PDB file of all heavy atoms in Angstrom:
ATOM      1  N   GLU A 147     -29.761  85.626 147.255  1.00 82.00           N
ATOM      2  CA  GLU A 147     -28.415  85.163 147.032  1.00 82.00           C
ATOM      3  C   GLU A 147     -28.390  83.826 146.293  1.00 82.00           C
ATOM      4  O   GLU A 147     -27.327  83.210 146.116  1.00 82.00           O
ATOM      5  CB  GLU A 147     -27.652  85.000 148.345  1.00 82.00           C
ATOM      6  CG  GLU A 147     -27.369  86.339 149.031  1.00 82.00           C
ATOM      7  CD  GLU A 147     -26.610  86.153 150.339  1.00 82.00           C
ATOM      8  OE1 GLU A 147     -27.261  85.899 151.340  1.00 82.00           O
ATOM      9  OE2 GLU A 147     -25.386  86.279 150.333  1.00 82.00           O
ATOM     10  N   THR A 148     -29.535  83.376 145.835  1.00 83.00           N
ATOM     11  CA  THR A 148     -29.615  82.109 145.128  1.00 83.00           C
ATOM     12  C   THR A 148     -29.741  82.319 143.657  1.00 83.00           C
ATOM     13  O   THR A 148     -30.646  82.991 143.161  1.00 83.00           O
ATOM     14  CB  THR A 148     -30.871  81.321 145.601  1.00 83.00           C
ATOM     15  OG1 THR A 148     -30.755  81.054 147.018  1.00 83.00           O
ATOM     16  CG2 THR A 148     -30.974  79.979 144.860  1.00 83.00           C
ATOM     17  N   LEU A 149     -28.797  81.779 142.887  1.00 88.00           N
ATOM     18  CA  LEU A 149     -28.806  81.899 141.439  1.00 88.00           C
ATOM     19  C   LEU A 149     -29.686  80.749 140.871  1.00 88.00           C
ATOM     20  O   LEU A 149     -29.421  79.596 141.099  1.00 88.00           O
ATOM     21  CB  LEU A 149     -27.389  81.777 140.895  1.00 88.00           C
ATOM     22  CG  LEU A 149     -27.252  81.838 139.355  1.00 88.00           C
ATOM     23  CD1 LEU A 149     -27.884  83.082 138.789  1.00 88.00           C
ATOM     24  CD2 LEU A 149     -25.782  81.726 138.971  1.00 88.00           C
ATOM     25  N   VAL A 150     -30.731  81.122 140.140  1.00 86.00           N
ATOM     26  CA  VAL A 150     -31.677  80.179 139.590  1.00 86.00           C
ATOM     27  C   VAL A 150     -31.450  80.108 138.086  1.00 86.00           C
ATOM     28  O   VAL A 150     -31.360  81.097 137.382  1.00 86.00           O
ATOM     29  CB  VAL A 150     -33.140  80.617 139.875  1.00 86.00           C
ATOM     30  CG1 VAL A 150     -34.114  79.649 139.277  1.00 86.00           C
ATOM     31  CG2 VAL A 150     -33.365  80.772 141.386  1.00 86.00           C
ATOM     32  N   LEU A 151     -31.390  78.844 137.581  1.00 89.00           N
ATOM     33  CA  LEU A 151     -31.368  78.623 136.147  1.00 89.00           C
ATOM     34  C   LEU A 151     -32.591  77.808 135.777  1.00 89.00           C
ATOM     35  O   LEU A 151     -32.747  76.675 136.231  1.00 89.00           O
ATOM     36  CB  LEU A 151     -30.080  77.872 135.743  1.00 89.00           C
ATOM     37  CG  LEU A 151     -29.771  77.786 134.216  1.00 89.00           C
ATOM     38  CD1 LEU A 151     -28.295  77.464 134.002  1.00 89.00           C
ATOM     39  CD2 LEU A 151     -30.611  76.737 133.503  1.00 89.00           C
ATOM     40  N   GLU A 152     -33.478  78.384 134.976  1.00 87.00           N
ATOM     41  CA  GLU A 152     -34.679  77.699 134.513  1.00 87.00           C
ATOM     42  C   GLU A 152     -34.505  77.445 133.036  1.00 87.00           C
ATOM     43  O   GLU A 152     -33.932  78.252 132.309  1.00 87.00           O
ATOM     44  CB  GLU A 152     -35.910  78.553 134.697  1.00 87.00           C
ATOM     45  CG  GLU A 152     -36.254  78.932 136.123  1.00 87.00           C
ATOM     46  CD  GLU A 152     -37.477  79.841 136.169  1.00 87.00           C
ATOM     47  OE1 GLU A 152     -37.310  81.052 136.081  1.00 87.00           O
ATOM     48  OE2 GLU A 152     -38.587  79.286 136.266  1.00 87.00           O
ATOM     49  N   SER A 153     -35.055  76.335 132.559  1.00 89.00           N
ATOM     50  CA  SER A 153     -34.982  76.045 131.120  1.00 89.00           C
ATOM     51  C   SER A 153     -36.173  75.211 130.694  1.00 89.00           C
ATOM     52  O   SER A 153     -36.819  74.552 131.490  1.00 89.00           O
ATOM     53  CB  SER A 153     -33.685  75.314 130.751  1.00 89.00           C
ATOM     54  OG  SER A 153     -33.704  73.981 131.260  1.00 89.00           O
ATOM     55  N   SER A 154     -36.493  75.344 129.411  1.00 90.00           N
ATOM     56  CA  SER A 154     -37.525  74.500 128.797  1.00 90.00           C
ATOM     57  C   SER A 154     -37.129  74.190 127.375  1.00 90.00           C
ATOM     58  O   SER A 154     -36.350  74.934 126.762  1.00 90.00           O
ATOM     59  CB  SER A 154     -38.891  75.237 128.827  1.00 90.00           C
ATOM     60  OG  SER A 154     -38.831  76.396 128.075  1.00 90.00           O
ATOM     61  N   SER A 155     -37.676  73.134 126.855  1.00 92.00           N
ATOM     62  CA  SER A 155     -37.374  72.735 125.464  1.00 92.00           C
ATOM     63  C   SER A 155     -38.449  71.805 124.950  1.00 92.00           C
ATOM     64  O   SER A 155     -39.317  71.355 125.711  1.00 92.00           O
ATOM     65  CB  SER A 155     -36.008  72.017 125.358  1.00 92.00           C
ATOM     66  OG  SER A 155     -36.021  70.847 126.133  1.00 92.00           O
ATOM     67  N   GLY A 156     -38.443  71.607 123.629  1.00 90.00           N
ATOM     68  CA  GLY A 156     -39.467  70.762 123.025  1.00 90.00           C
ATOM     69  C   GLY A 156     -39.416  69.325 123.441  1.00 90.00           C
ATOM     70  O   GLY A 156     -40.416  68.577 123.393  1.00 90.00           O
ATOM     71  N   LYS A 157     -38.227  68.882 123.864  1.00 89.00           N
ATOM     72  CA  LYS A 157     -38.102  67.508 124.370  1.00 89.00           C
ATOM     73  C   LYS A 157     -37.236  67.564 125.656  1.00 89.00           C
ATOM     74  O   LYS A 157     -36.490  68.499 125.844  1.00 89.00           O
ATOM     75  CB  LYS A 157     -37.444  66.616 123.308  1.00 89.00           C
ATOM     76  CG  LYS A 157     -36.032  67.046 122.940  1.00 89.00           C
ATOM     77  CD  LYS A 157     -35.441  66.087 121.912  1.00 89.00           C
ATOM     78  CE  LYS A 157     -33.995  66.474 121.552  1.00 89.00           C
ATOM     79  NZ  LYS A 157     -33.392  65.553 120.552  1.00 89.00           N
ATOM     80  N   PRO A 158     -37.331  66.538 126.507  1.00 87.00           N
ATOM     81  CA  PRO A 158     -36.565  66.547 127.752  1.00 87.00           C
ATOM     82  C   PRO A 158     -35.080  66.633 127.480  1.00 87.00           C
ATOM     83  O   PRO A 158     -34.540  65.976 126.557  1.00 87.00           O
ATOM     84  CB  PRO A 158     -36.938  65.209 128.398  1.00 87.00           C
ATOM     85  CG  PRO A 158     -38.274  64.862 127.842  1.00 87.00           C
ATOM     86  CD  PRO A 158     -38.243  65.373 126.407  1.00 87.00           C
ATOM     87  N   LEU A 159     -34.357  67.444 128.286  1.00 87.00           N
ATOM     88  CA  LEU A 159     -32.923  67.623 128.147  1.00 87.00           C
ATOM     89  C   LEU A 159     -32.235  67.244 129.448  1.00 87.00           C
ATOM     90  O   LEU A 159     -32.699  67.631 130.494  1.00 87.00           O
ATOM     91  CB  LEU A 159     -32.536  69.004 127.765  1.00 87.00           C
ATOM     92  CG  LEU A 159     -32.652  69.441 126.282  1.00 87.00           C
ATOM     93  CD1 LEU A 159     -32.226  70.903 126.133  1.00 87.00           C
ATOM     94  CD2 LEU A 159     -31.768  68.566 125.412  1.00 87.00           C
ATOM     95  N   ALA A 160     -31.104  66.537 129.345  1.00 88.00           N
ATOM     96  CA  ALA A 160     -30.251  66.309 130.509  1.00 88.00           C
ATOM     97  C   ALA A 160     -29.153  67.361 130.462  1.00 88.00           C
ATOM     98  O   ALA A 160     -28.806  67.913 129.396  1.00 88.00           O
ATOM     99  CB  ALA A 160     -29.681  64.910 130.464  1.00 88.00           C
ATOM    100  N   TYR A 161     -28.572  67.651 131.611  1.00 89.00           N
ATOM    101  CA  TYR A 161     -27.456  68.587 131.697  1.00 89.00           C
ATOM    102  C   TYR A 161     -26.230  67.958 132.327  1.00 89.00           C
ATOM    103  O   TYR A 161     -26.363  67.219 133.294  1.00 89.00           O
ATOM    104  CB  TYR A 161     -27.879  69.819 132.505  1.00 89.00           C
ATOM    105  CG  TYR A 161     -28.855  70.732 131.840  1.00 89.00           C
ATOM    106  CD1 TYR A 161     -30.211  70.635 132.133  1.00 89.00           C
ATOM    107  CD2 TYR A 161     -28.427  71.702 130.940  1.00 89.00           C
ATOM    108  CE1 TYR A 161     -31.109  71.482 131.496  1.00 89.00           C
ATOM    109  CE2 TYR A 161     -29.327  72.523 130.302  1.00 89.00           C
ATOM    110  CZ  TYR A 161     -30.667  72.424 130.585  1.00 89.00           C
ATOM    111  OH  TYR A 161     -31.580  73.232 129.967  1.00 89.00           O
ATOM    112  N   ASP A 162     -25.103  68.287 131.796  1.00 89.00           N
ATOM    113  CA  ASP A 162     -23.837  67.920 132.439  1.00 89.00           C
ATOM    114  C   ASP A 162     -23.340  69.187 133.177  1.00 89.00           C
ATOM    115  O   ASP A 162     -23.113  70.227 132.531  1.00 89.00           O
ATOM    116  CB  ASP A 162     -22.802  67.504 131.393  1.00 89.00           C
ATOM    117  CG  ASP A 162     -21.463  67.170 132.023  1.00 89.00           C
ATOM    118  OD1 ASP A 162     -21.336  66.128 132.595  1.00 89.00           O
ATOM    119  OD2 ASP A 162     -20.563  68.008 131.942  1.00 89.00           O
ATOM    120  N   VAL A 163     -23.230  69.117 134.495  1.00 86.00           N
ATOM    121  CA  VAL A 163     -22.833  70.259 135.318  1.00 86.00           C
ATOM    122  C   VAL A 163     -21.436  69.989 135.903  1.00 86.00           C
ATOM    123  O   VAL A 163     -21.206  68.965 136.539  1.00 86.00           O
ATOM    124  CB  VAL A 163     -23.838  70.513 136.443  1.00 86.00           C
ATOM    125  CG1 VAL A 163     -23.414  71.741 137.260  1.00 86.00           C
ATOM    126  CG2 VAL A 163     -25.237  70.737 135.880  1.00 86.00           C
ATOM    127  N   ALA A 164     -20.528  70.915 135.627  1.00 87.00           N
ATOM    128  CA  ALA A 164     -19.155  70.775 136.108  1.00 87.00           C
ATOM    129  C   ALA A 164     -18.724  72.026 136.868  1.00 87.00           C
ATOM    130  O   ALA A 164     -19.238  73.141 136.579  1.00 87.00           O
ATOM    131  CB  ALA A 164     -18.204  70.538 134.928  1.00 87.00           C
ATOM    132  N   TYR A 165     -17.833  71.834 137.816  1.00 88.00           N
ATOM    133  CA  TYR A 165     -17.325  72.967 138.610  1.00 88.00           C
ATOM    134  C   TYR A 165     -15.798  72.911 138.619  1.00 88.00           C
ATOM    135  O   TYR A 165     -15.227  71.839 138.681  1.00 88.00           O
ATOM    136  CB  TYR A 165     -17.833  72.916 140.058  1.00 88.00           C
ATOM    137  CG  TYR A 165     -17.229  73.952 140.947  1.00 88.00           C
ATOM    138  CD1 TYR A 165     -17.664  75.259 140.947  1.00 88.00           C
ATOM    139  CD2 TYR A 165     -16.157  73.617 141.787  1.00 88.00           C
ATOM    140  CE1 TYR A 165     -17.063  76.226 141.729  1.00 88.00           C
ATOM    141  CE2 TYR A 165     -15.559  74.559 142.588  1.00 88.00           C
ATOM    142  CZ  TYR A 165     -16.028  75.855 142.554  1.00 88.00           C
ATOM    143  OH  TYR A 165     -15.411  76.822 143.322  1.00 88.00           O
ATOM    144  N   GLY A 166     -15.160  74.096 138.534  1.00 89.00           N
ATOM    145  CA  GLY A 166     -13.701  74.122 138.563  1.00 89.00           C
ATOM    146  C   GLY A 166     -13.161  75.251 139.421  1.00 89.00           C
ATOM    147  O   GLY A 166     -13.751  76.345 139.460  1.00 89.00           O
ATOM    148  N   THR A 167     -12.083  74.978 140.114  1.00 89.00           N
ATOM    149  CA  THR A 167     -11.355  76.013 140.840  1.00 89.00           C
ATOM    150  C   THR A 167      -9.850  75.729 140.702  1.00 89.00           C
ATOM    151  O   THR A 167      -9.446  74.559 140.747  1.00 89.00           O
ATOM    152  CB  THR A 167     -11.736  76.044 142.333  1.00 89.00           C
ATOM    153  OG1 THR A 167     -10.870  76.956 143.018  1.00 89.00           O
ATOM    154  CG2 THR A 167     -11.631  74.646 142.961  1.00 89.00           C
ATOM    155  N   TRP A 168      -9.047  76.783 140.534  1.00 90.00           N
ATOM    156  CA  TRP A 168      -7.616  76.579 140.443  1.00 90.00           C
ATOM    157  C   TRP A 168      -6.978  76.400 141.805  1.00 90.00           C
ATOM    158  O   TRP A 168      -5.807  76.017 141.921  1.00 90.00           O
ATOM    159  CB  TRP A 168      -6.964  77.730 139.683  1.00 90.00           C
ATOM    160  CG  TRP A 168      -7.068  79.071 140.353  1.00 90.00           C
ATOM    161  CD1 TRP A 168      -8.096  79.969 140.199  1.00 90.00           C
ATOM    162  CD2 TRP A 168      -6.127  79.673 141.254  1.00 90.00           C
ATOM    163  NE1 TRP A 168      -7.847  81.090 140.965  1.00 90.00           N
ATOM    164  CE2 TRP A 168      -6.651  80.941 141.629  1.00 90.00           C
ATOM    165  CE3 TRP A 168      -4.910  79.281 141.777  1.00 90.00           C
ATOM    166  CZ2 TRP A 168      -6.004  81.799 142.489  1.00 90.00           C
ATOM    167  CZ3 TRP A 168      -4.260  80.168 142.641  1.00 90.00           C
ATOM    168  CH2 TRP A 168      -4.818  81.388 142.998  1.00 90.00           C
ATOM    169  N   ARG A 169      -7.741  76.620 142.895  1.00 91.00           N
ATOM    170  CA  ARG A 169      -7.202  76.374 144.222  1.00 91.00           C
ATOM    171  C   ARG A 169      -7.548  74.934 144.677  1.00 91.00           C
ATOM    172  O   ARG A 169      -8.026  74.729 145.783  1.00 91.00           O
ATOM    173  CB  ARG A 169      -7.764  77.426 145.218  1.00 91.00           C
ATOM    174  CG  ARG A 169      -7.299  78.841 144.972  1.00 91.00           C
ATOM    175  CD  ARG A 169      -7.786  79.794 146.029  1.00 91.00           C
ATOM    176  NE  ARG A 169      -9.249  79.756 146.143  1.00 91.00           N
ATOM    177  CZ  ARG A 169     -10.038  80.507 145.364  1.00 91.00           C
ATOM    178  NH1 ARG A 169      -9.535  81.338 144.476  1.00 91.00           N
ATOM    179  NH2 ARG A 169     -11.363  80.439 145.506  1.00 91.00           N
ATOM    180  N   ASP A 170      -7.340  73.983 143.793  1.00 89.00           N
ATOM    181  CA  ASP A 170      -7.609  72.593 144.156  1.00 89.00           C
ATOM    182  C   ASP A 170      -6.551  72.058 145.108  1.00 89.00           C
ATOM    183  O   ASP A 170      -6.692  70.999 145.705  1.00 89.00           O
ATOM    184  CB  ASP A 170      -7.616  71.703 142.903  1.00 89.00           C
ATOM    185  CG  ASP A 170      -6.373  71.848 142.079  1.00 89.00           C
ATOM    186  OD1 ASP A 170      -5.797  72.969 142.017  1.00 89.00           O
ATOM    187  OD2 ASP A 170      -5.937  70.831 141.457  1.00 89.00           O
ATOM    188  N   LYS A 171      -5.418  72.780 145.225  1.00 92.00           N
ATOM    189  CA  LYS A 171      -4.377  72.489 146.165  1.00 92.00           C
ATOM    190  C   LYS A 171      -3.697  73.783 146.536  1.00 92.00           C
ATOM    191  O   LYS A 171      -3.954  74.833 145.935  1.00 92.00           O
ATOM    192  CB  LYS A 171      -3.377  71.487 145.588  1.00 92.00           C
ATOM    193  CG  LYS A 171      -2.681  71.993 144.357  1.00 92.00           C
ATOM    194  CD  LYS A 171      -1.731  70.959 143.782  1.00 92.00           C
ATOM    195  CE  LYS A 171      -1.002  71.458 142.541  1.00 92.00           C
ATOM    196  NZ  LYS A 171      -0.079  70.438 141.974  1.00 92.00           N
ATOM    197  N   LYS A 172      -2.829  73.780 147.512  1.00 93.00           N
ATOM    198  CA  LYS A 172      -2.110  74.966 147.889  1.00 93.00           C
ATOM    199  C   LYS A 172      -1.231  75.438 146.729  1.00 93.00           C
ATOM    200  O   LYS A 172      -0.537  74.646 146.124  1.00 93.00           O
ATOM    201  CB  LYS A 172      -1.235  74.721 149.124  1.00 93.00           C
ATOM    202  CG  LYS A 172      -0.568  75.982 149.687  1.00 93.00           C
ATOM    203  CD  LYS A 172       0.179  75.645 150.992  1.00 93.00           C
ATOM    204  CE  LYS A 172       0.808  76.882 151.587  1.00 93.00           C
ATOM    205  NZ  LYS A 172       1.942  77.407 150.808  1.00 93.00           N
ATOM    206  N   ARG A 173      -1.367  76.703 146.391  1.00 93.00           N
ATOM    207  CA  ARG A 173      -0.608  77.270 145.275  1.00 93.00           C
ATOM    208  C   ARG A 173       0.375  78.302 145.778  1.00 93.00           C
ATOM    209  O   ARG A 173      -0.023  79.272 146.445  1.00 93.00           O
ATOM    210  CB  ARG A 173      -1.551  77.884 144.245  1.00 93.00           C
ATOM    211  CG  ARG A 173      -2.573  76.899 143.647  1.00 93.00           C
ATOM    212  CD  ARG A 173      -1.942  76.026 142.601  1.00 93.00           C
ATOM    213  NE  ARG A 173      -2.939  75.171 141.984  1.00 93.00           N
ATOM    214  CZ  ARG A 173      -2.711  74.346 140.970  1.00 93.00           C
ATOM    215  NH1 ARG A 173      -1.487  74.293 140.460  1.00 93.00           N
ATOM    216  NH2 ARG A 173      -3.659  73.583 140.470  1.00 93.00           N
TER     217      ARG A 173
END
Side-chain angles (χ1 to χ4, degrees):
E147 292 181 277
T148 300
L149 177 57
V150 180
L151 191 161
E152 298 177 272
S153 70
S154 64
S155 61
K157 62 178 182 180
L159 278 180
Y161 288 98
D162 178 77
V163 181
Y165 173 80
T167 174
W168 62 273
R169 294 185 302 274
D170 57 325
K171 61 182 180 181
K172 186 174 183 290
R173 300 282 183 177

